[in-house]
Amino acid sequence: MKLKFLITSLLVSSVIIGGCSASSSKSDETMDHSKMTKEEMSNMEGMDHSNMSGKNMETMNGHESHTNPLALNHSTGENELALPPLLEAKDGIFTITAQQGTSEIFKGINTETYGYNGSYLGPVIKINEGQKVTFKTNNQLSEPTTFHWHGVDIPGEGDGGPHHLLQPGDTKNVKFTVKQGASTLWFHPHPVGATAEQVYKGLAGLIYVEDEHSKKLGLPSEYGVNDFPLVFQDRKFDDNKQLNFKAAMNEDGTIGDTLLINGTVNPKLTVGKEKVRLRLLNGSNARNYTFKLNTGDSFQQIATDGGFVNKPISMNELSLTPGERAEIIIDFSTYNVSTDIALMNEEDTKLLSFNIVDKKSETSSDSLKNLNNYVVTDEERKLPVSKKLELFGMGKMVTINNKQFDMNRIDFTQKQGETEIWEIYNKPDMMGGMTHPFHIHGTQFKILSIDGKEPPTNEYGWKDTVAIDAGETVRLAVKFNNKGIYMFHCHILEHEENGMMGQVKVE
């Protein structure tokens, strides 16, 4: 298991007040923070924090310290898990509206939230390979937003990056042909300076891509019966049970103590005595999750971000950083209905309780066979590195190649349809460093190596987000099938907004 937070890296994160905005100010582009002394860092912007207690440093500006990430509360399992509705197309058109409202997350209390086609989160959009679709997007918020299709192989003009702002009341049609295989993708906003808060308030939804091959595999596929979406998001509610983002926000990634799965607090999931498919999305702003069963039993991973792995992989635990997805199979037929079984995290906090009932769906799967024919070719392995990226910093001082994001600057160019090797290095700082989940828009890539070695078996598949630990160097084979301008960035949403983002123009 990768270490998702190098603990000491973030002691000073909540006291770094200076730095550049996400969209301007190049004065710090040449600053090498690794050469700063502790005294220099503690006195940035003329503030001396050297005599502050650890507790004061943790609570300054209301931020929680990542030196000891705020622990999640145990789920009591008292509420049945909510399921997002399936969104059906009408003549190939999917209508998706960003809106604001209230949600009864806690019994009897209305919490102000954002959602797609509802007050919190969004529907599951189901599309098929080869299908011509139109996403009719509407902004009914009181602020600008964008609709970013995370993991979708889509022309740049429809990708929904920060260039594609939709003003309140505006509508835009995004048309494209689905050119990728079966996978679990998602969508969320991507406006500069507001992404973290809009996601925090509830803007996120899922996309299921199906193809003819996936329909013949015999996988659990009955939605809400043996095939379940699980959107994991940690939140911190104020005394009035509201999502006060400004009070909870941490420049190094906002962490909460309350877990919501599909918007449900203290969830449980009722399942039959059969194989059950769980589609996991880490939809949190910054928290990493390591999933395992309280029984210590194994489960099977069948897919990663962009599609199926070649064969089911037996796992005892699975880690996901923000933006990453995975599909797993748990065989509940081996348990009694009275079995106490739950999904836990690395701290043995109960995330999701399972209530087993003595039933079996008509589409229950008996065996799982070959799922995919994913391969890294010899040609791809022999390609030279053509793009080098260095991720560095924390808080507002994050950079890529010593630069912060500028909407008017193109950082790289690449030819449509040509594979290039991107080498990404996560440079440690004097405090150690931290994991950055690195995401590229508009494509699915292949992980060639991590520190010169083969990636873990469960990452041998299509990916759009990869966790890069401090000190690690990752090589990716990247090909864009469409033209346009695409973002690449850290998927800790606060890091993205603070400038750890760049642009590649595909021509």
Side-chain angles (χ1 to χ4, degrees):
M1 181 185 72
K2 284 188 172 184
L3 181 61
K4 297 304 182 182
F5 279 98
L6 295 185
I7 299 299
T8 58
S9 67
L10 300 169
L11 181 61
V12 298
S13 64
S14 61
V15 301
I16 297 178
I17 307 301
C20 305
S21 69
S23 58
S24 62
S25 181
K26 299 182 181 180
S27 61
D28 285 325
E29 289 182 1
T30 59
M31 180 181 291
D32 186 349
H33 311 299
S34 65
K35 296 179 181 178
M36 294 176 67
T37 66
K38 291 182 180 180
E39 182 179 0
E40 288 170 334
M41 294 186 75
S42 67
N43 285 284
M44 290 181 68
E45 296 295 308
M47 298 181 68
D48 183 2
H49 310 294
S50 58
N51 294 320
M52 293 179 68
S53 68
K55 181 65 176 177
N56 288 337
M57 292 180 74
E58 291 177 10
T59 58
M60 185 177 179
N61 296 328
H63 298 344
E64 294 292 339
S65 171
H66 285 230
T67 58
N68 293 291
L70 190 63
L72 285 171
N73 298 324
H74 283 275
S75 171
T76 63
E78 60 192 83
N79 300 313
E80 190 64 31
L81 183 76
L83 291 178
L86 290 172
L87 182 61
E88 304 291 339
K90 293 183 178 180
D91 298 322
I93 299 174
F94 296 86
T95 301
I96 306 134
T97 301
Q99 58 193 75
Q100 52 201 69
T102 60
S103 302
E104 192 176 332
I105 297 172
F106 300 93
K107 188 175 181 179
I109 299 174
N110 289 325
T111 300
E112 295 182 2
T113 53
Y114 284 1
Y116 294 114
N117 295 6
S119 61
Y120 193 76
L121 296 182
V124 173
I125 300 172
K126 202 168 184 179
I127 55 180
N128 293 284
E129 184 180 23
Q131 183 182 7
K132 293 182 178 180
V133 300
T134 299
F135 290 168
K136 183 179 180 180
T137 60
N138 306 291
N139 180 14
Q140 294 302 319
L141 303 174
S142 59
E143 60 181 310
T145 191
T146 80
F147 292 73
H148 167 53
W149 316 104
H150 184 124
V152 178
D153 186 343
I154 191 171
E157 61 185 12
D159 176 66
H163 294 279
H164 306 138
L165 274 181
L166 205 60
Q167 298 296 327
D170 284 355
T171 297
K172 178 182 179 180
N173 289 337
V174 178
K175 299 181 180 182
F176 68 103
T177 300
V178 182
K179 295 182 178 179
Q180 61 197 113
S183 48
T184 300
L185 314 174
W186 67 303
F187 61 101
H188 60 81
H190 216 290
V192 168
T195 298
E197 183 168 8
Q198 289 187 4
V199 172
Y200 197 81
K201 289 181 176 180
L203 287 185
L206 290 164
I207 303 171
Y208 286 5
V209 182
E210 298 292 348
D211 59 27
E212 292 306 311
H213 174 65
S214 68
K215 296 173 184 177
K216 298 175 183 177
L217 290 174
L219 292 168
S221 57
E222 192 171 344
Y223 185 78
V225 177
N226 59 12
D227 184 354
F228 298 94
L230 300 179
V231 180
F232 291 83
Q233 298 174 307
D234 63 322
R235 298 291 183 258
K236 189 173 183 182
F237 293 86
D238 65 17
D239 292 341
N240 296 316
K241 300 299 185 185
Q242 299 299 312
L243 292 168
N244 188 339
F245 178 73
K246 289 179 173 58
M249 195 270 285
N250 185 324
E251 296 289 3
D252 250 323
T254 302
I255 300 290
D257 58 4
T258 302
L259 177 68
L260 302 179
I261 305 180
N262 299 350
T264 305
V265 68
N266 294 321
K268 67 179 176 182
L269 176 60
T270 299
V271 297
K273 285 176 64 65
E274 60 180 318
K275 288 185 173 72
V276 171
R277 181 180 183 180
L278 304 178
R279 306 186 190 223
L280 314 178
L281 161 64
N282 183 344
S284 293
N285 285 40
R287 183 182 289 274
N288 306 306
Y289 299 90
T290 296
F291 302 102
K292 60 183 180 180
L293 293 173
N294 64 326
T295 59
D297 295 329
S298 63
F299 49 83
Q300 291 181 309
Q301 182 174 348
I302 62 168
T304 185
D305 295 344
F308 296 124
V309 294
N310 287 344
K311 294 182 180 180
I313 302 166
S314 181
M315 308 278 288
N316 288 103
E317 59 182 35
L318 169 66
S319 295
L320 296 178
T321 54
E324 289 187 294
R325 284 93 60 215
E327 296 182 30
I328 65 173
I329 300 284
I330 301 176
D331 187 358
F332 289 99
S333 68
T334 62
Y335 300 104
N336 296 320
V337 294
S338 59
T339 302
D340 177 16
I341 183 169
L343 204 60
M344 315 285 282
N345 70 358
E346 68 278 12
E347 298 174 332
D348 292 328
T349 299
K350 184 179 289 188
L351 306 179
L352 177 64
S353 299
F354 296 105
N355 176 39
I356 304 174
V357 294
D358 194 6
K359 67 176 183 178
K360 189 175 182 179
S361 66
E362 295 180 0
T363 60
S364 180
S365 174
D366 293 324
S367 62
L368 301 177
K369 301 178 181 179
N370 295 341
L371 303 176
N372 208 345
N373 58 356
Y374 171 93
V375 64
V376 177
T377 66
D378 290 339
E379 181 182 2
E380 288 168 336
R381 293 185 187 280
K382 293 177 182 178
L383 287 172
V385 173
S386 56
K387 291 178 171 57
K388 288 191 174 186
L389 293 81
E390 181 183 273
L391 313 181
F392 183 74
M394 63 179 75
K396 286 191 173 183
M397 308 303 289
V398 289
T399 60
I400 297 180
N401 287 353
N402 232 12
K403 298 178 181 179
Q404 293 195 320
F405 178 61
D406 184 340
M407 287 199 34
N408 299 312
R409 184 186 71 236
I410 298 297
D411 299 279
F412 295 118
T413 59
Q414 188 159 328
K415 291 185 178 180
Q416 179 187 16
E418 289 192 6
T419 299
E420 291 194 27
I421 306 304
W422 292 32
E423 183 179 275
I424 305 99
Y425 171 54
N426 183 355
K427 181 180 179 181
D429 55 32
M430 53 176 278
M431 302 299 291
M434 64 180 294
T435 298
H436 295 294
F438 182 76
H439 170 52
I440 306 178
H441 287 210
T443 187
Q444 292 289 332
F445 52 72
K446 299 177 181 181
I447 303 176
L448 298 185
S449 65
I450 300 175
D451 285 340
K453 300 177 181 178
E454 291 286 325
T457 306
N458 70 310
E459 291 191 335
Y460 191 76
W462 293 108
K463 295 279 292 174
D464 55 57
T465 307
V466 57
I468 307 178
D469 288 340
E472 276 189 342
T473 298
V474 173
R475 287 190 177 183
L476 310 175
V478 181
K479 181 175 73 170
F480 294 93
N481 295 318
N482 299 284
K483 294 182 179 180
I485 296 175
Y486 298 97
M487 305 296 111
F488 53 87
H489 59 87
C490 174
H491 216 282
I492 294 174
L493 298 184
E494 289 76 13
H495 280 186
E496 169 196 322
E497 291 193 348
N498 290 338
M500 192 173 258
M501 181 160 63
Q503 302 184 100
V504 56
K505 184 176 183 180
V506 182
E507 301 172 315

